Amino acid sequence: INAEYGEGLFTADQQLNNGNLGYVDASRTRQNPNGQRRGFECPEERDYFPYWQPTLMTQTYDETYQTTPWLDLAFLTSNTSRCGYIKANSFNQNGKGRCVVAEGQRTYGRAIDEDACEDEDGEWVIFQSYLEILSDEDTEAKCNAVAAADKSGNKVSWMSLRSDEPDEKHCVVQAPEIDCKSAPWSRVNHLGNSPDSMGNASRYDSVFPYFPSGEDKRCVMRLRYNISTDDYDPYKTTSSSNQDITEGIVSPVEQNPLVDVGAAARPLRLAINTNQYGRTFQDRSHVYRLLPRTTDMAGKVIHNLNVRGKRGNIVQTFPAVEYDFIPNRATISTDDLVHIQWTGSNTHNNQPNGGDGQTGDAGEGTGGTDRSNFLEM
């Protein structure tokens, strides 16, 4: 987070404030000019994808826990012409550089390019992403055998994790290439049902990563939703369009601008917040575990069946939904397996003043409970 912000980024007329570091760092973006952070997120990494620096690199490589960088699962877009760029700049199988300023340690500098790193007396180090490290495959020959047998789409290589440690090689399993495809159609700015899902909720069907080690894995899922804008070109508008009245530069979008409506009428003020034009929202799941298959599960398809929504009528649950299953319909053979997942509560508080939606929890059962039932028929 101590890296400098990307100086070529479009910030409109927003003023990014210096933080405690004495310069504008990566916690400050047009969307987040005051540097507010939620948890351990890096706001700049949240707002821009694909990001230009490595993510979540721990202080040392820990063979036991193997805390990985964030891995890219999918990019759903209305503009698939950019999929080549997205894949080429995803961290899954492409190295990313960072300025390391203390030899032998993961202490990072403020520089975000190689030339500035040299000025900071640092070393520009290329880091590699990984899904896991196969510690038992401790020779290149063993690693190549795993790579030859892999049919999952993973990239298995005998390699170093960082360019300043060329002799520290491991059998590195990198995640498959990011899946870039068209997003399900929906009404503008509406995350609801889609004709692409036969009138059901918009969705993306994913396949969980394959871990050759067969070890338990603790995971977190991040979901991001980007609202684009047609008020300026999101791919070509850069810092050269940032508002600078002294230089005669007017941003293509301005905060609450006055608009001349003509004739003798007084100008009208538009309600525009420039930190919300082209905006990213993010949500994270709880931690969940991926477990290895048992012998009886070998070679079989496992379908996830999830319960979504919460207890209450349609008004009380808004902006969530009433209970529903995902998928709503599933075609499953007699040899397939079903993994049923749901969340619930015995003590949820939907009393005055209710949070999301209105107070109350319509439906049968003790007030404050939120449970699901399954019936075999």
Side-chain angles (χ1 to χ4, degrees), residues 275-301:
N275 70 19
Q276 296 182 11
Y277 268 58
R279 192 179 187 193
T280 302
F281 296 86
Q282 175 176 282
D283 197 6
R284 302 184 194 88
S285 72
H286 296 289
V287 174
Y288 61 93
R289 294 174 65 197
L290 295 181
L291 305 178
R293 292 171 179 251
T294 65
T295 303
D296 292 338
M297 297 178 184
K300 295 188 176 182
V301 176

Side-chain angles (χ1 to χ4, degrees), residues 285-319:
S285 72
H286 296 289
V287 174
Y288 61 93
R289 294 174 65 197
L290 295 181
L291 305 178
R293 292 171 179 251
T294 65
T295 303
D296 292 338
M297 297 178 184
K300 295 188 176 182
V301 176
I302 302 176
H303 301 266
N304 281 317
L305 176 61
N306 299 270
V307 170
R308 69 168 184 150
K310 61 182 182 179
R311 176 178 170 182
N313 61 43
I314 192 170
V315 177
Q316 293 166 347
T317 62
F318 181 83

